[in-house]
Amino acid sequence: MEVPSRSSCLFCQISRGSTSTDLLFADEMVIAFRDIRPAAFRHYLVIPVKHIPTVKHLHRSTEDHHLVNHMLNVGKTLLERDAPQSNYRFGFHQPPFYSVDHLHLHCLALPFIPSWKRVKYSSLGRFGFIEADKLLAKIRPLSELPSQL
């Protein structure tokens, strides 16, 4: 798949403030907003300001681990504020099952609406949806892994 230029990427346009999207959160690393096709009681997206196409473009590095961890913390904070009584699911769609070529964390306060949408946010092994905690474990820098003595 061809990577879009930053000027043609919808999420880059949102991060630059070039759209009318209402932001729920913004800092120098990430922004958050409501999904335009919500699949749950609350459905937010947290995206990096920097254009990163997909989870496949993340590496086992301190920088990428910090970014994803920050995205997750922002999503948790927003859902805890807006849907404190819900159960949550946080994760990313993996190629080829994604719709926007810009890394984005789905932050879902359950239940799914309609209930069949849960399939779209279920793990299919190496494909489909990967939960944020599992992605963090995959990209954790080697220096932070526990030693096996």
Side-chain angles (χ1 to χ4, degrees):
M1 174 179 271
E2 184 177 320
V3 177
S5 72
R6 213 175 128 72
S7 61
S8 66
C9 172
L10 176 61
F11 285 0
C12 286
Q13 292 172 22
I14 293 170
S15 73
R16 286 193 310 269
S18 302
T19 70
S20 60
T21 303
D22 290 326
L23 300 184
L24 301 170
F25 177 88
D27 67 14
E28 67 283 349
M29 291 177 64
V30 303
I31 64 168
F33 50 94
R34 289 174 186 82
D35 192 301
I36 62 170
R37 287 186 222 93
F41 171 62
R42 294 282 183 275
H43 187 169
Y44 302 152
L45 300 178
V46 180
I47 68 168
V49 171
K50 174 184 171 187
H51 183 84
I52 300 170
T54 72
V55 295
K56 301 294 185 190
H57 293 83
L58 296 172
H59 304 284
R60 188 178 287 276
S61 71
T62 301
E63 179 184 357
D64 286 352
H65 189 268
H66 177 71
L67 172 65
V68 173
N69 194 55
H70 182 57
M71 293 170 73
L72 179 58
N73 287 335
V74 167
K76 284 180 177 179
T77 299
L78 291 171
L79 288 184
E80 288 168 356
R81 178 192 73 193
D82 296 345
Q85 303 302 316
S86 292
N87 292 317
Y88 309 127
R89 184 166 295 164
F90 300 93
F92 301 85
H93 286 108
Q94 301 179 90
F97 301 107
Y98 64 102
S99 57
V100 177
D101 203 25
H102 188 121
L103 185 69
H104 52 285
L105 172 65
H106 290 270
C107 307
L108 302 139
L110 306 179
F112 287 106
I113 301 171
S115 62
W116 61 264
K117 290 261 185 163
R118 79 171 51 90
V119 173
K120 186 176 178 183
Y121 299 92
S122 299
S123 175
L124 301 172
R126 295 182 341 195
F127 303 104
F129 194 74
I130 182 170
E131 292 190 19
D133 289 338
K134 289 181 181 171
L135 178 60
L136 281 167
K138 282 179 70 169
I139 64 171
R140 179 178 297 155
L142 293 175
S143 61
E144 295 181 17
L145 293 174
S147 62
Q148 301 290 326
L149 295 178

